[in-house]
Amino acid sequence: MTDYLGYLYSLLVFSGGIVGYVKAGSVASLVASTTFGSLSAYGAYLVSRDPRNVAFSFVVCLALLIVMGVRFSKSGKFMPAGLVSVLSLVMVARYGLRLVA
């Protein structure tokens, strides 16, 4: 079963970095989004092959949740750190439920 939400999440992460690069010239955003977007896409691929194989995706989403959650708590700005934190929290909960089930 294809992990459509996982692929959508990775697309949103990747596209957010492109927007950050285009709007502000942030190479760090581009590198981080390419890295995390690729890792989360690979995780979605793994989950698509075996729906119980969620550990990799869980760790990637948790890492992004922590990084962007800290940024959001420091800046207080919802875009982009707050949005990515919320999306990552949803994905961590989704994969976490599969881990314990």
Side-chain angles (χ1 to χ4, degrees), residues 28-50:
S29 290
L30 185 61
V31 170
S33 71
T34 301
T35 301
F36 277 103
S38 298
L39 290 173
S40 61
Y42 178 66
Y45 167 76
L46 293 176
V47 172
S48 295
R49 290 190 53 190
D50 179 4

Side-chain angles (χ1 to χ4, degrees), residues 18 22 27-28 36-37 44 51 60 74-75 81 87 92 95:
I18 292 173
V22 169
V27 175
F36 277 103
V60 171
K74 287 182 179 179
S75 71
L87 293 174
V92 164
Y95 290 134

Side-chain angles (χ1 to χ4, degrees), residues 3-65:
D3 184 14
Y4 291 111
L5 286 177
Y7 284 119
L8 178 62
Y9 173 76
S10 64
L11 179 65
L12 290 172
V13 169
F14 179 71
S15 60
I18 292 173
V19 169
Y21 178 73
V22 169
K23 288 182 106 177
S26 174
V27 175
S29 290
L30 185 61
V31 170
S33 71
T34 301
T35 301
F36 277 103
S38 298
L39 290 173
S40 61
Y42 178 66
Y45 167 76
L46 293 176
V47 172
S48 295
R49 290 190 53 190
D50 179 4
R52 295 168 298 160
N53 189 9
V54 297
F56 183 82
S57 294
F58 178 80
V59 170
V60 171
C61 294
L62 181 62
L64 196 54
L65 172 61

Side-chain angles (χ1 to χ4, degrees), residues 76-92:
K77 296 179 182 177
F78 186 72
M79 289 299 287
L83 177 61
V84 175
S85 296
V86 169
L87 293 174
S88 297
L89 180 62
V90 169
M91 295 304 287
V92 164

